[in-house]
Amino acid sequence: MSQMMDRSTETPDEDRVSISSNESTPANMKKLGVMQSFRNSVRRAVKSPLSPGAKGSKVTAEAKSAGNQQTPSSPSLSAGTPTASPLKNMGHDDTPARKSSSLPRSMTDPNMLKFFRGDKNYSSLPFFPKKKKEKSKNSHQEELAAVAEGLLEENEKEEEEKDEEEEEEAGEEIEETYALPELPHTPLSVMQINKLIENEVLEEAHLNLLALRQEFQQEQERCGEDSMELAKKEKDLSLLYGEMRNKINSLVRDSNSLPNRNKELLVYVARIIQEEEKRAKDPGGLPGSWMEAWREAVLEGVQAKLQSVHLEQKEKNTSWLAVHLGLLGKAIVEDLENVRRHLRWSYPPSFRVFSAYVDSYHEAVGQHLKKVEQQVMELKDQYALLDWIINRYKSEKIMGSVSLQPDMKDESSDLQLEENFLKRLKDKYCCRVKADVRSTLDRIIQFENEDVWSEKRSPDKEDDFLDSPFHMDIWTKVKSFANNSRKIDADLEQKAVCSCLEELKDFPGRFEAEFRRHCSPLKPQPLWTEYQITYINSFTSLLEHMEGYRDSCPDQVEKFGREVNGLINWLIGGLQDHYKEDVKPYLRRMMTRKWLTVDEDFEQLYRRTELLSQHCALMRPPHVQKFARELHYYAVKEYIGQLMKNNYSCKNRKHEKAAGKIRHQWDKLVELFENMKSEHDWLHYVGDELSDIIGQKNKTDIKDHLQPLVEHYPDFSKKHLVAVLNFRGLLRGSEHRLILQRLAQLKKKNPDVAAGDKKQVLFNDMQVTVNTDCLSNLPFSCFNFLLPDN
């Protein structure tokens, strides 16, 4: 303690002498002389209070004058007790020698700086002589101020270099082995030992505890276990050891928060723990491991450190968690830097101090995050927490920091989290992702209703196709979740995408229900058709976007695809149904007497088909091809099917006019469906081949024109041929029978033709109406078999 008190700066008298010597210098002295003289005086006045040889102890002016005076012994020591610290007897100083990194007070004190710069307020200080008004004095003082500033800059630069060197230097490691000092012959009283523990005179308190414990063991050997005095002494030992352990725990807990206060004490703490670990099996000690208690104290200190990190209320700051995690990482790094550079040199190597603190942080941070997680509700905060746990904690920002190397190379960087904590956090994040996606989908439906359907606004076009941009909004949302989650880890990316697709699965059905409810009154209008094509395109694009995630989420993509295809089929079906209803009255009047004389019905059929064809040009592949095929097939089936309904029979050579009209109208339909890029080319022949049969002048030539029709359409049968002949006006007769026989021969001759191609079925889907009027033309003798006598 005397050494601690002896350490001091120079006295004001010395400062006064230094300044006086400078003032007495003649005005005409050379500048170099002035600088040299002033430098010497300043160096005497501002000499560092922590000289390298002092080893941390203060030196007062009185101690200097007194010389090396003997320090009186501690009043708490009993007679015969060594006055020196027991660790000094072991060959160790109280404090490991370290260079001072602080600037001398006389150089950094703002009062001193103002003095050198000539602040008039300091001319009245007692150690400062009165300022003279002569011009030479003012000039001299300006020179002194300039020199002082130069010295300050030079000194600061030197100190910064020293600080950098000190950081690179390794601390002095405490030896693992030590020699225990001689124990006192007579230990202090229990009250005195307890007082020493309270005053943190641990080395002396521990030696007296060991002496008291030795007395207890000796009496135990002499008296056995039944002595009352022995029981009292055992109780005293237990209480004192408990106090000692509590004090040590307290010092260890605060050691990294207040390193300068108890740095020296930690050396004694380490030796006490080592000694008690050796005597663990001897009577009179405390149960439990002292080393384990030390580790628990380290953990408690770390927990207290984390608890002190500022945590704002989320109601006051939306970035509360990001700010807290940033401060948390900074506190961890600073704490471990202090352990690595300073604290670990107070312990022997066997304590593995740095590892103990790293492990404690892994455990304490895991516990701390569990408490913080309970307040995390928003998606951005859940993402920030996951990212901090999985990536940032291990990164160069915290545990991988350059300032902690190379010590961290042999340490684990993994947090000690509660079982299933990370899985629970990921699941919670994915639930928020689903909720966010659902909210986006709700806004899309609301927008379509309020801004499109209610306003009856025409859809936009993109690349010459009708399009609603919501599919891009959804894809962007899913892609952002995928990309951001991938930055954390691949597992979270897969879970987040699957969550998005699970929520998307119900979107087509919800969209269809709202579309039905709001747009059904628009069915008669062209706007209804435009909306249907728009949403066919948009959902087709959306499905294409989601197909990119089939490898990671095959089941979810498959289910979503089924829902989308169901919606698209409903929309296409709606277009077809509307077209069928629209052209039905005009098709019904085909192949009739009116049709033969008037073109109005066919023109209406053609215009409506052409309008739908124009709309189809705004539909994206692949559904436009499918729709064109189905529309082509329906138009051909219904147009040719009118021949099978026996609505009209040509007479008086009107069959030639009918054949010509069929051929002309058929050419227009073929051209129309070719423009639609229909893939049903096999339907193009039927109109021309039937018009050839109908238009033959000679009945006998009809049988020679059957073969192309039978080859192209294997399902063309006898009943279909009879209907065509009826339309031509050939109802009976030998020629009628010969034509039917020729058809039978062609089918029998070629079995493949008879079987037909199941992919090219046309006539089987046509309804044939039987002509019952032919019975009236039969002679009465044909019905004789119906009489009762026959």
Side-chain angles (χ1 to χ4, degrees):
M1 293 298 293
S2 63
Q3 288 180 338
M4 297 289 289
M5 295 297 297
D6 285 342
R7 195 168 173 190
S8 171
T9 58
E10 301 290 345
T11 63
D13 293 336
E14 289 178 320
D15 288 340
R16 195 176 296 114
V17 172
S18 175
I19 300 301
S20 299
S21 64
N22 283 324
E23 282 192 347
S24 63
T25 306
N28 58 354
M29 69 180 301
K30 294 182 180 180
K31 187 175 182 180
L32 181 61
V34 173
M35 292 179 64
Q36 183 65 37
S37 174
F38 183 78
R39 186 188 300 270
N40 293 336
S41 64
V42 167
R43 283 178 177 171
R44 287 196 304 271
V46 302
K47 186 164 61 176
S48 172
L50 297 177
S51 59
K55 295 186 180 180
S57 60
K58 296 182 180 179
V59 181
T60 62
E62 290 77 10
K64 276 188 173 184
S65 62
N68 297 329
Q69 188 175 355
Q70 182 68 29
T71 304
S73 60
S74 172
S76 63
L77 298 180
S78 61
T81 303
T83 59
S85 169
L87 291 180
K88 287 185 179 180
N89 295 335
M90 290 185 276
H92 297 284
D93 293 335
D94 291 347
T95 307
R98 296 186 61 83
K99 296 180 181 180
S100 170
S101 60
S102 61
L103 288 174
R105 181 182 181 281
S106 58
M107 294 296 290
T108 58
D109 193 322
N111 297 335
M112 209 62 184
L113 182 59
K114 289 180 180 180
F115 153 64
F116 282 125
R117 290 176 176 171
D119 194 321
K120 63 181 181 180
N121 295 328
Y122 285 82
S123 60
S124 60
L125 293 175
F127 59 84
F128 196 95
K130 295 292 183 180
K131 183 178 179 181
K132 297 181 180 181
K133 296 182 179 180
E134 289 82 351
K135 183 176 180 181
S136 60
K137 295 298 181 181
N138 292 337
S139 176
H140 177 62
Q141 189 168 354
E142 291 175 1
E143 291 178 357
L144 291 178
V147 173
E149 289 184 0
L151 288 175
L152 282 172
E153 293 177 358
E154 181 181 351
N155 193 23
E156 288 175 358
K157 184 176 181 181
E158 291 177 357
E159 293 298 336
E160 288 176 0
E161 293 176 354
K162 288 180 181 179
D163 289 342
E164 293 177 358
E165 291 175 0
E166 285 182 358
E167 288 183 0
E168 295 177 358
E169 290 178 0
E172 181 181 348
E173 192 172 78
I174 294 180
E175 296 180 4
E176 186 69 38
T177 58
Y178 66 96
L180 184 69
E182 182 180 355
L183 301 182
H185 297 292
T186 303
L188 297 176
S189 68
V190 172
M191 294 294 293
Q192 288 175 317
I193 296 174
N194 188 58
K195 194 68 175 177
L196 290 176
I197 295 173
E198 289 179 1
N199 294 333
E200 298 180 354
V201 188
L202 299 184
E203 69 280 12
E204 187 174 346
H206 185 238
L207 289 175
N208 280 275
L209 254 178
L210 292 178
L212 187 63
R213 186 175 177 183
Q214 186 175 345
E215 283 186 358
F216 168 76
Q217 293 171 358
Q218 292 172 353
E219 291 180 15
Q220 188 180 43
E221 291 176 359
R222 290 195 308 268
C223 305
E225 301 289 343
D226 298 333
S227 171
M228 295 291 294
E229 185 66 25
L230 191 64
K232 182 179 180 298
K233 186 167 291 189
E234 184 178 17
K235 183 178 179 181
D236 292 340
L237 274 173
S238 178
L239 291 173
L240 289 173
Y241 264 117
E243 290 296 321
M244 175 66 78
R245 180 174 284 185
N246 291 338
K247 176 58 71 174
I248 286 177
N249 288 349
S250 175
L251 291 171
V252 173
R253 277 196 303 271
D254 300 337
S255 59
N256 213 17
S257 300
L258 304 169
N260 295 327
R261 169 179 172 269
N262 51 19
K263 186 175 180 182
E264 299 173 3
L265 289 173
L266 292 179
V267 179
Y268 306 136
V269 165
R271 296 309 187 193
I272 291 171
I273 293 173
Q274 283 181 298
E275 189 64 30
E276 290 301 324
E277 286 290 302
K278 292 178 184 177
R279 301 169 181 260
K281 297 181 179 180
D282 296 345
L286 279 183
S289 170
W290 283 74
M291 184 62 76
E292 190 61 34
W294 174 78
R295 292 193 187 94
E296 291 176 1
V298 169
L299 176 60
E300 291 172 4
V302 167
Q303 290 170 336
K305 182 75 173 181
L306 297 180
Q307 196 65 30
S308 67
V309 176
H310 179 64
L311 177 61
E312 279 192 273
Q313 294 181 358
K314 58 184 178 181
E315 294 81 8
K316 295 182 179 180
N317 187 354
T318 56
S319 302
W320 66 278
L321 183 61
V323 172
H324 179 67
L325 294 177
L327 295 175
L328 198 66
K330 183 180 178 182
I332 293 170
V333 173
E334 290 177 352
D335 215 29
L336 290 178
E337 283 177 354
N338 188 59
V339 172
R340 178 178 175 270
R341 293 176 182 173
H342 306 294
L343 196 61
R344 65 173 174 174
W345 306 120
S346 299
Y347 293 92
S350 62
F351 278 69
R352 300 183 68 248
V353 178
F354 187 77
S355 295
Y357 273 87
V358 169
D359 293 341
S360 295
Y361 266 109
H362 291 337
E363 182 178 350
V365 171
Q367 296 170 353
H368 181 75
L369 294 180
K370 181 183 177 183
K371 297 177 182 178
V372 172
E373 185 268 339
Q374 297 173 1
Q375 306 178 45
V376 175
M377 298 299 174
E378 295 187 15
L379 182 62
K380 64 179 180 63
D381 294 333
Q382 290 167 348
Y383 180 86
L385 185 57
L386 279 168
D387 183 49
W388 196 89
I389 292 173
I390 296 175
N391 292 329
R392 292 188 179 274
Y393 185 75
K394 299 179 182 179
S395 71
E396 67 279 358
K397 299 291 184 182
I398 305 177
M399 285 300 173
S401 173
V402 177
S403 61
L404 303 181
Q405 305 304 322
D407 301 75
M408 275 301 299
K409 289 183 178 178
D410 298 329
E411 303 294 334
S412 170
S413 299
D414 296 328
L415 277 171
Q416 294 181 21
L417 299 172
E418 186 183 67
E419 186 179 1
N420 294 327
F421 175 77
L422 199 56
K423 180 181 180 300
R424 187 170 67 250
L425 194 58
K426 287 182 177 181
D427 291 342
K428 189 176 178 181
Y429 170 77
C430 290
C431 287
R432 291 299 305 167
V433 166
K434 288 184 68 174
D436 191 75
V437 171
R438 184 175 183 86
S439 177
T440 299
L441 300 179
D442 289 340
R443 289 195 298 270
I444 287 172
I445 294 176
Q446 182 180 1
F447 176 83
E448 292 295 313
N449 178 30
E450 295 177 355
D451 287 38
V452 181
W453 304 334
S454 297
E455 298 295 328
K456 297 183 180 180
R457 182 165 61 86
S458 296
D460 299 327
K461 288 184 180 179
E462 182 181 350
D463 299 331
D464 296 328
F465 298 111
L466 291 175
D467 183 77
S468 179
F470 71 76
H471 65 92
M472 286 299 299
D473 297 335
I474 296 173
W475 185 41
T476 301
K477 173 70 72 173
V478 175
K479 187 165 61 173
S480 68
F481 282 131
N483 293 339
N484 291 332
S485 301
R486 188 187 309 123
K487 294 176 183 178
I488 296 180
D489 66 12
D491 176 64
L492 186 63
E493 177 193 7
Q494 190 261 348
K495 287 185 175 181
V497 172
C498 289
S499 297
C500 293
L501 289 167
E502 287 173 1
E503 188 60 44
L504 272 174
K505 181 176 71 69
D506 299 329
F507 178 59
R510 292 168 54 206
F511 189 90
E512 177 185 337
E514 292 298 314
F515 184 65
R516 284 176 184 268
R517 189 161 65 91
H518 292 286
C519 296
S520 293
L522 298 176
K523 279 187 178 181
Q525 304 178 20
L527 205 55
W528 168 265
T529 301
E530 291 182 3
Y531 285 163
Q532 287 175 303
I533 294 175
T534 298
Y535 298 131
I536 289 171
N537 292 339
S538 298
F539 276 94
T540 299
S541 298
L542 180 59
L543 182 57
E544 289 175 355
H545 297 324
M546 297 302 109
E547 282 290 339
Y549 301 109
R550 182 174 287 276
D551 292 340
S552 57
C553 307
D555 294 339
Q556 287 77 9
V557 172
E558 184 66 27
K559 292 177 182 178
F560 176 64
R562 285 199 295 266
E563 294 296 322
V564 169
N565 289 328
L567 173 60
I568 291 174
N569 290 335
W570 176 77
L571 292 170
I572 291 176
L575 287 173
Q576 292 173 345
D577 293 342
H578 179 63
Y579 172 76
K580 292 174 184 178
E581 289 294 324
D582 198 21
V583 301
K584 187 176 181 179
Y586 309 112
L587 282 170
R588 197 179 330 176
R589 291 193 286 269
M590 294 294 105
M591 313 305 169
T592 62
R593 180 180 288 105
K594 182 182 178 182
W595 163 81
L596 192 60
T597 57
V598 181
D599 293 334
E600 181 182 355
D601 290 326
F602 178 78
E603 292 301 326
Q604 290 291 337
L605 170 65
Y606 182 82
R607 277 198 296 271
R608 281 162 172 74
T609 307
E610 185 180 35
L611 180 61
L612 187 57
S613 172
Q614 293 171 357
H615 282 132
C616 285
L618 303 175
M619 189 185 299
R620 291 182 183 274
H623 298 290
V624 62
Q625 288 86 0
K626 178 184 177 183
F627 184 75
R629 290 195 305 267
E630 294 178 354
L631 185 64
H632 188 187
Y633 181 83
Y634 175 79
V636 169
K637 180 174 74 72
E638 292 300 319
Y639 182 84
I640 299 299
Q642 302 306 312
L643 291 173
M644 309 301 160
K645 294 185 178 180
N646 203 17
N647 293 328
Y648 179 68
S649 180
C650 298
K651 296 178 181 178
N652 301 324
R653 303 187 68 87
K654 290 181 181 179
H655 62 89
E656 294 180 6
K657 182 180 179 181
K661 195 159 194 175
I662 289 174
R663 190 183 301 277
H664 173 71
Q665 293 178 351
W666 187 254
D667 289 341
K668 294 184 70 174
L669 290 175
V670 168
E671 182 181 5
L672 180 62
F673 288 113
E674 283 179 345
N675 293 335
M676 290 179 66
K677 298 181 180 179
S678 169
E679 298 171 351
H680 280 348
D681 298 340
W682 58 280
L683 293 174
H684 294 339
Y685 311 110
V686 64
D688 293 333
E689 291 168 355
L690 286 174
S691 62
D692 283 344
I693 294 173
I694 295 170
Q696 290 300 316
K697 293 182 179 180
N698 298 321
K699 301 176 183 179
T700 55
D701 294 337
I702 293 177
K703 62 180 179 294
D704 298 330
H705 291 80
L706 294 177
Q707 185 172 352
L709 184 63
V710 173
E711 288 178 352
H712 287 137
Y713 306 99
D715 60 334
F716 184 76
S717 63
K718 179 181 176 181
K719 63 181 180 179
H720 301 113
L721 181 56
V722 169
V724 173
L725 294 176
N726 287 344
F727 177 78
R728 186 194 179 279
L730 185 58
L731 303 179
R732 67 185 68 85
S734 58
E735 292 85 357
H736 189 276
R737 290 194 301 273
L738 290 173
I739 293 171
L740 295 179
Q741 289 175 4
R742 177 58 179 166
L743 177 64
Q745 290 173 0
L746 289 173
K747 285 186 170 289
K748 188 175 181 181
K749 184 177 179 181
N750 192 346
D752 295 335
V753 172
D757 187 351
K758 294 182 180 180
K759 294 182 181 179
Q760 296 185 359
V761 175
L762 175 61
F763 288 95
N764 281 347
D765 290 342
M766 296 180 188
Q767 184 179 359
V768 179
T769 302
V770 178
N771 187 2
T772 56
D773 293 341
C774 63
L775 296 177
S776 61
N777 297 324
L778 292 175
F780 183 77
S781 59
C782 294
F783 298 94
N784 288 337
F785 69 93
L786 298 176
L787 297 176
D789 294 340
N790 295 325

